[in-house]
Amino acid sequence: MGAGQSTDGASNGSPEQLSHVLAERFATKCFTPLELTHFKDNFYTRAVDQAGLRYWNEKILSDFLGIPDGVDGGAGHDSPLDPGPVIFRMVSYLGAFPFQTTLAPSVLTFEAMVKVAVLLTERYGKVLRRGRRDRIKLLFGSLADVGRKETEQKVENESSEVTDDAAASHSHVAGFAVDDPVNDEEYEDDDDDLVLSALESLDAIEVFKHDQRIDKAVYEARISVNTFRRLLMLLLVIAPLKPLEPVSRYTSHLESEHLEAVRKEADSILAAFSPEETAGGISYKSFARTISETLPYLFDPLTPLFEHLLFSENLDLSRRRANTNSSDPAPEEKASDMAPSPPSPVLLQGSFTSEILNPTVLSHLSFFLSVSSSIPNLFYSRTRLHPVFSIAAHGQSLTSFSHHVLSWQSPTLLLLRGALADDDDEKLITIGVYVPQAWKPSSSAQSSINPSDPSTLPCLFQLSPTHAVFKGNPSSSAHKPTQPITYFSTNTGIAIGCHVPPSSRNKVSKPTPEGAGSLLIDGSLETADLHISLDNRSGAFLPPVPENAFPASKTSINIYDLEIWGLVPAPEPSADQSKLDAIAIQRSRWDFEAREAERRRNVNTKIGGAADTQTARALLEMAGIIGDSGKGGGSV
C-alpha cells in the first residue's frame, strides 16, 4: 500500500498515522491477495494525481459505481433520483474511520477506500466488535447533516481545552460530529463505542477514546429527510443487485412512472420514523431502533454495489486465457461476453398476474422479510414466489380459497390492498402476513416455531402508507389449536393471529382479536379489520414498530385486492430440477382437488325424506367429504 509508518511506532502516532496503519491491516486481514490486486487496478487506473496525491473525486466514484446522476424524478417533483452526493458524503466519512470526528471528511485516497470497502461489503468481522450494530452507528454518522455547523463549533471549543500534546495530534478541523445520543436507553453504550481489536494491538486506545469523547459531548447532528429519501430511492432501485452485476441494469432508463412508485415506497419507509423526529431530521435513537427492528436488511444492496471495487475487467484472467487460444473477437462479441445473464425473475408464472407486487414492493419486502434460515434476504436467498390465489383471478369465494391455499405445502405470503373505510379520501393501505408454515385445517396445530430462526416466525406488516412490522412472538401460544396463526371457515372468514374458541355442532364460534396485532377478513373477502393492542403481548405478534403507525386500535379496510403467494426455495446445486418438480407436484394436487370437488358435487344426498337427507349430510360432513356449508371442497 505504499510507504507508511511502522506499526511499532503507531502507539505514539497521530490519528492520521494510525489511520494509515489501520488501512494496511484492513487490506491484509479482510481481502485476499487477488482481491487486493483487482482493487489496486480499479483505484489507480482512475485516480486523479495532484502533486503526488492520488485520490478519487465524486464524479469518479459515481461513474465507477454506475450511480445515476441528475435523473428527472417525474411528476413535477423538485428532488430527482440523485444519490451521488449522498454516497460521496458517506464514503468521505467512512474513509476517516475510526477517527471520524478529527479526520472526516477524508480525501478518498487508496487507504481511505480500503476502509470504505471493508465497512460497506460487510467484511468487518475482524474489525468491528459488534458487527452490524457498529455498522448502523457508522452509517448514521455518514448520513448525518442537520446541525453539523453548530456541532463543529462545539468540537473546536472542546479541542481548545485539551493539553497541547493532545491538541497537536487532533489538529484537523472536524467535518462531521456524530456519535451516541444522550439518554439513548437500550441503544446507549456504557463504554466508548467502536473500539477496535486492531487499535488495541496498536496501543492507540487513548487517542481513539479522546476522539470519541469529543463526539459524545457535542452530539446533536441528525439525518435530513431529503438526504435519507435520496438514499432510500437508490436502495429500492438496486435491491436485487447481485455481485458483479452491472448497476446500470437497474438504474438506466428509469421511467417517470417507476420513479414515482419508488418515491412513494421511500416515503412509506420514511413515515416509520417518528414524525417529531423527521420534522427536524432523524436522530440516532430513532434511526438505530427502526433500522434494527423493522428494516434489518435495508443496507444489504450496498454490499454488491461496493464489491465492484474488488473486480477489475482489466484483470479478467479467464477471458485472457480464452483469447490466447483464438484470434481477438469482434468488439460486439466482447460486449456480449461481458454482459451477465438476465436476472432470474422473483415472480414465477402461474394462474394470475399480481395487482400488488411490482419491483419496488419486492424491494421493500426484501428489506425486512426473513425467508430463509441461512440467507434471509428475499433476493439473495433466490427464493421465488408462485401465484396461489387471487380474488381477481379466482373470485371472492372461500371455497376457491380453500382449494388453492390448503394444498400449498410451503410458506406463503398474504398481501391485501384496500381503502380505509373511515377515510373520506379512501386512502390506500397495503398490509401483508408472512405465514412460515403451510395452511392447515382449523383443527391442526402449527408448532414448527424456532425462536432463533426468524424465517420460522410469522410476521404481520404494513407496507403503506406507513412501514410497520409486527414481529412473530416466539413466546406466545400461537401454535395451540385455540390460537393458530391462520384459521378460516366458510362461516366466519379468515383470521390471522386470533383466538379461536372450540366449536360445537350447534354453535359456530367466531374468532376474536388476540395479542398486539391480529387480522380478521370477512367470509365474502370484501372487508377486513386490523386490530392493534400495544399492551397485549400474549398473541402471535408483538407490538408494531413504530408504535405510532396506527392511530386507532381498529382499522377497517375495504378490500380491493387480496393475493396469496407461495414461497419456492432455491434448488440445491445438485438438484436443479427440484424447484420445477415441487411446482409440478403442486399443480397435480390442484388438479386432483378439482376432480375431487367435482365428484363431491355429484354425491346424491337426497336418499329419502328430509330426515334421511340431514342424516346423510351429517355423515358426509363427519367424513370430510363435504364442507360445513354443504358444498363440496372438504372441511375447512
Side-chain angles (χ1 to χ4, degrees):
M1 290 178 57
Q5 294 78 9
S6 67
T7 302
D8 296 337
S11 60
N12 297 321
S14 66
E16 292 87 348
Q17 293 171 321
L18 289 170
S19 180
H20 179 87
V21 175
L22 281 175
E24 291 184 331
R25 292 204 171 187
F26 287 7
T28 56
K29 287 179 176 291
C30 302
F31 300 137
T32 66
L34 183 59
E35 288 174 334
L36 193 56
T37 300
H38 280 265
F39 196 165
K40 288 181 178 179
D41 184 76
N42 276 327
F43 180 85
Y44 287 113
T45 56
R46 294 169 175 81
V48 174
D49 191 332
Q50 185 173 352
L53 178 66
R54 305 182 75 176
Y55 66 94
W56 278 18
N57 56 30
E58 181 179 331
K59 185 178 187 307
I60 294 174
L61 180 68
S62 296
D63 289 346
F64 176 79
L65 295 178
I67 296 174
D69 211 5
V71 178
D72 185 7
H77 291 293
D78 296 329
S79 179
L81 177 60
D82 181 19
V86 177
I87 295 296
F88 186 72
R89 172 196 294 278
M90 293 176 63
V91 170
S92 300
Y93 179 91
L94 297 175
F97 180 76
F99 302 104
Q100 297 89 263
T101 300
T102 52
L103 297 183
S106 67
V107 178
L108 298 186
T109 61
F110 180 73
E111 288 78 9
M113 290 299 291
V114 164
K115 290 185 283 185
V116 168
V118 168
L119 295 172
L120 292 183
T121 61
E122 300 186 90
R123 296 166 182 261
Y124 45 71
K126 299 178 181 179
V127 180
L128 300 182
R129 256 187 188 166
R130 290 182 305 277
R132 276 186 173 251
R133 183 171 173 181
D134 283 347
R135 188 178 187 240
I136 288 176
K137 178 178 293 185
L138 285 170
L139 290 171
F140 174 81
S142 70
L143 292 167
D145 53 0
V146 177
R148 191 177 68 204
K149 292 183 179 179
E150 292 81 357
T151 55
E152 287 175 0
Q153 183 61 44
K154 292 183 180 180
V155 171
E156 294 177 8
N157 294 339
E158 288 281 344
S159 299
S160 65
E161 298 176 1
V162 300
T163 62
D164 293 339
D165 292 339
S169 64
H170 295 80
S171 58
H172 187 88
V173 177
F176 301 97
V178 288
D179 205 327
D180 260 350
V182 180
N183 300 325
D184 191 24
E185 299 176 358
E186 59 184 300
Y187 295 97
E188 183 177 16
D189 300 308
D190 296 328
D191 302 319
D192 289 306
D193 254 339
L194 298 175
V195 178
L196 310 176
S197 300
L199 279 172
E200 292 174 342
S201 66
L202 292 175
D203 297 325
I205 294 299
E206 289 306 315
V207 178
F208 174 69
K209 283 185 176 180
H210 173 73
D211 188 90
Q212 298 302 298
R213 278 196 297 270
I214 293 176
D215 241 356
K216 284 176 179 288
V218 300
Y219 188 93
E220 290 180 359
R222 293 172 176 243
I223 303 174
S224 71
V225 171
N226 182 57
T227 294
F228 198 40
R229 180 186 288 110
R230 292 162 78 181
L231 178 63
L232 284 175
M233 292 178 69
L234 173 67
L235 296 175
L236 285 165
V237 168
I238 67 169
L241 183 68
K242 297 178 178 60
L244 305 185
E245 191 176 20
V247 182
S248 60
R249 170 171 288 163
Y250 302 98
T251 58
S252 62
H253 308 297
L254 292 174
E255 298 179 355
S256 59
E257 183 179 352
H258 184 192
L259 282 173
E260 182 62 21
V262 170
R263 178 180 296 280
K264 287 182 178 179
E265 213 70 31
D267 286 342
S268 294
I269 295 174
L270 279 169
F273 299 87
S274 304
E276 61 273 13
E277 297 280 355
T278 56
I282 302 169
S283 70
Y284 172 72
K285 178 180 177 180
S286 177
F287 181 85
R289 187 184 181 199
T290 305
I291 298 298
S292 299
E293 298 186 19
T294 77
L295 295 161
Y297 317 122
L298 175 65
F299 296 108
D300 281 6
L302 294 178
T303 296
L305 178 65
F306 280 86
E307 279 184 345
H308 283 80
L309 290 165
L310 307 179
F311 175 80
S312 171
E313 293 182 355
N314 299 330
L315 302 179
D316 190 346
L317 302 180
S318 61
R319 188 179 297 122
R320 285 186 176 184
R321 284 195 297 270
N323 288 340
T324 59
N325 299 326
S326 62
S327 60
D328 281 348
E332 60 271 14
E333 292 176 335
K334 286 185 177 181
S336 66
D337 288 343
M338 294 170 59
S341 58
S344 54
V346 176
L347 303 182
L348 298 173
Q349 292 184 350
S351 58
F352 65 89
T353 301
S354 180
E355 298 291 335
I356 302 175
L357 289 176
N358 57 44
T360 307
V361 172
L362 286 170
S363 295
H364 191 167
L365 289 171
S366 74
F367 293 158
F368 68 91
L369 199 61
S370 297
V371 297
S372 170
S373 57
S374 56
I375 306 176
N377 186 297
L378 174 64
F379 291 121
Y380 301 165
S381 67
R382 296 172 58 212
T383 298
R384 300 293 177 257
L385 300 179
H386 189 276
V388 174
F389 174 81
S390 165
I391 61 174
H394 302 112
Q396 294 176 297
S397 164
L398 279 181
T399 300
S400 178
F401 182 94
S402 171
H403 163 63
H404 288 87
V405 176
L406 274 188
S407 58
W408 183 265
Q409 300 300 306
S410 68
T412 54
L413 190 64
L414 181 152
L415 294 172
L416 183 155
R417 184 177 63 180
L420 298 178
D422 300 331
D423 192 296
D424 294 336
D425 298 329
E426 294 189 339
K427 181 184 296 183
L428 290 179
I429 181 173
T430 304
I431 60 178
V433 183
Y434 168 66
V435 182
Q437 303 95 12
W439 288 63
K440 303 289 185 180
S442 58
S443 59
S444 299
Q446 302 181 18
S447 57
S448 57
I449 290 179
N450 179 3
S452 62
D453 183 359
S455 67
T456 67
L457 294 173
C459 179
L460 175 65
F461 55 86
Q462 178 175 291
L463 297 178
S464 65
T466 301
H467 168 84
V469 174
F470 301 73
K471 290 184 178 180
N473 186 359
S475 62
S476 75
S477 57
H479 60 279
K480 294 183 178 180
T482 57
Q483 196 177 0
I485 297 171
T486 60
Y487 169 89
F488 73 94
S489 164
T490 52
N491 289 317
T492 60
I494 302 172
I496 307 291
C498 294
H499 175 71
V500 183
S503 297
S504 64
R505 174 163 295 280
N506 299 323
K507 181 181 179 181
V508 177
S509 299
K510 294 184 178 181
T512 57
E514 178 70 23
S518 56
L519 178 67
L520 283 166
I521 303 174
D522 75 321
S524 64
L525 303 183
E526 293 180 349
T527 62
D529 291 326
L530 184 62
H531 295 264
I532 310 299
S533 176
L534 301 180
D535 299 326
N536 191 334
R537 293 175 174 265
S538 62
F541 302 102
L542 296 172
V545 177
E547 293 87 347
N548 65 336
F550 303 93
S553 60
K554 176 183 175 181
T555 302
S556 297
I557 305 168
N558 294 324
I559 298 175
Y560 291 169
D561 300 292
L562 189 150
E563 300 174 356
I564 302 289
W565 291 81
L567 275 67
V568 181
E572 297 295 333
S574 59
D576 294 338
Q577 295 298 317
S578 63
K579 178 178 69 176
L580 297 177
D581 292 343
I583 295 175
I585 292 172
Q586 183 61 54
R587 287 172 178 166
S588 68
R589 285 180 180 146
W590 283 334
D591 292 340
F592 173 78
E593 286 288 330
R595 291 193 301 271
E596 283 296 292
E598 181 65 25
R599 181 180 65 83
R600 290 164 186 165
R601 279 193 292 268
N602 294 329
V603 172
N604 183 10
T605 61
K606 297 181 179 180
I607 300 175
D612 290 336
T613 300
Q614 293 177 358
T615 301
R617 185 181 300 281
L619 289 173
L620 291 174
E621 288 179 0
M622 293 174 62
I625 296 177
I626 63 174
D628 55 8
S629 66
K631 297 180 181 180
S635 173
V636 292

